[in-house]
Amino acid sequence: PEVENPYINPYKEFQRWKTHPDIRKHFEGGTCISYGARVLNEGGFHSLPKLTFNGGALIGCSAGFLNSVKIKGSHTALKSGMVAAESVFECLANSNVTPVSETFEINEEEEMKEVSSYEDAMKNSWVYDELYQVRNCHESFARYGLLGGLVYTGLVTHVTKGREPWTLFHSKRDSEKTEEASKFEPILYPQPDGVLTFDLLTNLQRSGTYHDDDQEAHLRIKEDRTQIPESVSLQTYEAPEQRFCPASVYEYVDSKLVINAQNCVHCKCCSIKMPGEYINWTCPEGGGGPQYQVM
């Protein structure tokens, strides 16, 4: 999402990457059996939100516990789930409320609780310690480039372990990092061969994504930004949403935006990368979306 060139097409970049001789040899003779896409929330320690609210909490990747240096978040997600369970149990055990397992009915008058002890426990866990150590690594690539980022990250992960007395804060939203299309040239990508590389719609079928035809579209243009698609995104940035979306949800027909919400694989890229962040990503009906079986 931090790419500046609006002509970059992540899906086609990946297809082209597979054709590199050192990569191709690992795919040849194989069969593509599934397809999916997901934006990694790599903000890390700086981007962790308030974790609790009345009746619920943010756990795992929904809270952003990904360690972007390891490109791994399953261990932190599991730990957050364990901490949440312990905190909720402690809260309910001390509430003097008869559990539903004994009454077999829900008391609608019972007040929803905010288990703030969960966030306190997470701050005292190794998860926060791990994320704090690498808090500056992701931003170092944005500031100093690939080589500078590698050097900085190497020093942090092997020497300072996060003890450096400074913090590199993110200065811009991802949507603000896209540059005007006039500064770049369109990219001509090779045509898919149907064996190693595939067109997007063919792969989209492999995701099994599905939304009921009669449900309201869960991708909605914000009421105060209805002019952005045609007057800003298309005119200034050559409609990058047509390229960065991995499910061909967004397309322009006769200079008018068409949202094919039924194609959505819930990657959440549009909610953070759209020019002006004009999309309001709402929850679709239960069961809708990609049907991942082996991913």
Side-chain angles (χ1 to χ4, degrees), residues 24-187:
R24 174 188 289 270
K25 62 185 179 183
H26 297 289
F27 286 97
E28 288 181 336
T31 301
C32 183
I33 60 175
S34 189
Y35 170 75
R38 183 69 170 88
V39 168
L40 298 181
N41 38 349
E42 297 178 325
F45 185 83
H46 299 316
S47 300
L48 294 178
K50 184 175 183 293
L51 299 179
T52 60
F53 50 91
N54 286 340
L58 298 176
I59 301 172
C61 287
S62 64
F65 289 130
L66 174 77
N67 183 328
S68 61
V69 175
K70 295 181 178 180
I71 318 180
K72 179 183 178 184
S74 56
H75 62 311
T76 54
L78 288 168
K79 179 62 177 178
S80 69
M82 295 164 62
V83 172
E86 293 167 353
S87 301
V88 170
F89 177 82
E90 182 180 358
C91 176
L92 294 178
N94 296 328
S95 65
N96 296 320
V97 175
T98 304
V100 176
S101 60
E102 295 182 12
T103 63
F104 298 103
E105 61 181 19
I106 297 176
N107 183 359
E108 296 183 357
E109 297 181 356
E110 182 181 339
E111 182 182 2
M112 288 193 299
K113 298 182 180 296
E114 180 174 353
V115 188
S116 56
S117 58
Y118 161 59
E119 182 163 352
D120 296 333
M122 284 300 297
K123 289 180 178 179
N124 293 321
S125 72
W126 55 261
V127 174
Y128 268 62
D129 292 338
E130 179 177 315
L131 295 181
Y132 182 80
Q133 288 185 17
V134 296
R135 68 190 184 282
N136 293 327
C137 294
H138 186 72
E139 179 63 18
S140 69
F141 282 91
R143 294 193 182 196
Y144 312 131
L146 177 60
L147 182 58
L150 288 173
V151 172
Y152 187 96
T153 300
L155 288 173
V156 166
T157 54
H158 293 91
V159 181
T160 68
K161 301 292 185 179
R163 292 189 295 269
E164 60 270 23
W166 60 80
T167 295
L168 303 178
F169 289 105
H170 310 308
S171 59
K172 289 184 177 181
R173 297 174 180 268
D174 287 332
S175 60
E176 296 172 345
K177 293 191 175 182
T178 306
E179 298 284 352
E180 295 183 4
S182 59
K183 298 180 181 180
F184 303 90
E185 293 293 329
I187 301 173

Side-chain angles (χ1 to χ4, degrees), residues 175-213:
S175 60
E176 296 172 345
K177 293 191 175 182
T178 306
E179 298 284 352
E180 295 183 4
S182 59
K183 298 180 181 180
F184 303 90
E185 293 293 329
I187 301 173
L188 182 62
Y189 291 97
Q191 291 296 314
D193 59 18
V195 179
L196 179 65
T197 59
F198 305 91
D199 66 271
L200 193 151
L201 293 180
T202 295
N203 263 342
L204 183 62
Q205 292 179 329
R206 296 186 172 111
S207 73
T209 192
Y210 173 78
H211 299 84
D212 285 338
D213 295 334

